[in-house]
Amino acid sequence: MLKTKLCEILNIKYPILQGGMAWIATAELAAAVSEAGGLGIVGGGEAPPEVIRNEIKKVKSLTTKPFGVNVYFLSQFVEEVIEILIEEKVPVITTGAGNPGKYIPRLKAAGIKVFPVVSSVALARRLERAGVDGFIAEGMECGGHVGELTTMALVPQIVDATSLPVIAAGGIFDGRGVVAALSLGAVGVQMGTRFVCAKECTVHPNYKASLIKAKDRDTVLTGYHGHQVRVIKNKLTKEFLQLKEKNAPAEEFEKLGAGRLRIAAVDGDCDMGSVMAGQVAAMISQEQTAKEIIEDLVTGATRVMENLGGFFKEDN
Ligand code: TUI
């Protein structure tokens, strides 16, 4: 058994969220994770509002369990997407790459739970005042757009700064990571990278193969200060490195990066696309169903707890 107060708040069996990854976390994956007792989350990304509405309808056709949608705040469609989430009565939203503060009153009025991703204490403090329901504290071990702090340093600082529930993300792969996150004061975990290799994930097979092949030092941060993105090393990251070496302006990084996630995730070009993945990619050795992944997390965490108990016995 693995239960925390997050299970009650979100009405889920296990305190495990699947990251709402743009172009990757489609309805099929989100529904499978929710069916397995976690919280599946559709990655809204930069998709047009009607595409997101269709994904929501598809999740609803595949599961009656709660699910979420991630809103990407650099999307040009944020306003319209928020409208759709309210119309469709999506149970939970997570937000990334921006401050959802001004939308909170409308979302709360619609009964939607809001869990923004934060990578700093200052933003968490601001958003607690704005009325969010909790936080996802994302360390820089994560794939994609990341902050500066590691999970180990960030999570306890967010926990200490707020009275709201905190979910840890970044560098979590199995039961060991789950127990570590709970030790830091989190009441749940969010995992993206491992769920990319779920059987139900519709990402291009080449993308899954890149993650399965990855070794410990195969991810790298690309981009420029304040806009760092963790990806698997490939031809594209070599070009990013060249831009960095010549101190290129931000616009050149933006131009090189534009549309690259779709190229990897949908077209399957893992040489010149952005293969976003966290540092735990190296630990993935095979595709598994969402149910197998969640069962592994729960049994693994239980085993870790039993072993840890021994360290605190008097006759040790
Ligand atoms: O957003 C992420 N991870 C991402 S975004 C992304 S890039 C993408 N590409 C194409 C389509 C869609 C997305 C890949 N991975 N994680 C959440 C996250 N949010 N990390 C950091 C932040 C963040 C940054 C600044 C949150 C708030 C923030 O606030 C700025 C402010 O206004 O104070």
Side-chain angles (χ1 to χ4, degrees), residues 105-124:
R106 269 162 66 211
L107 291 164
K108 298 311 307 167
I112 296 175
K113 301 236 157 57
V114 185
F115 281 75
V117 167
V118 293
S119 41
S120 73
V121 166
L123 183 62

Side-chain angles (χ1 to χ4, degrees), residues 22-23 45-46 70 72 95-99 117-119 123 126 138 143-147 229 261 276:
W23 292 114
E46 292 170 300
N70 177 265
Y72 175 62
T95 70
N99 182 341
V117 167
V118 293
S119 41
L123 183 62
R126 247 185 288 148
E138 265 191 23
H145 183 58
V146 296
V229 177
L261 177 56
M276 295 184 186

Side-chain angles (χ1 to χ4, degrees), residues 15 18 30 62-64 83-84 112 125 136 152 162 239 294:
Q18 159 253 311
L62 294 169
T63 184
T64 54
E83 269 320 305
I84 283 176
I112 296 175
R125 287 221 169 94
I136 300 168
M152 183 78 106
T162 117
E239 294 195 16
I294 288 185

Side-chain angles (χ1 to χ4, degrees), residues 208-222:
K208 293 187 184 183
S210 288
L211 269 55
I212 290 171
K213 207 175 88 199
K215 297 206 175 49
D216 54 349
R217 299 168 63 224
D218 284 348
T219 73
V220 66
L221 290 177
T222 59

Side-chain angles (χ1 to χ4, degrees), residues 234-286:
N234 62 7
K235 286 198 181 121
L236 178 67
T237 63
K238 287 205 180 100
E239 294 195 16
F240 270 114
L241 200 64
Q242 284 163 7
L243 286 187
K244 198 170 171 189
E245 275 163 6
K246 67 174 194 190
N247 260 325
E251 302 83 69
E252 280 195 46
F253 284 92
E254 295 287 350
K255 212 169 103 194
L256 182 60
R260 295 288 178 175
L261 177 56
R262 182 182 200 281
I263 289 170
V266 181
D267 304 342
D269 182 350
C270 294
D271 292 324
M272 286 308 291
S274 282
V275 187
M276 295 184 186
Q279 291 182 328
V280 299
M283 296 165 88
I284 305 174
S285 58
Q286 55 176 340

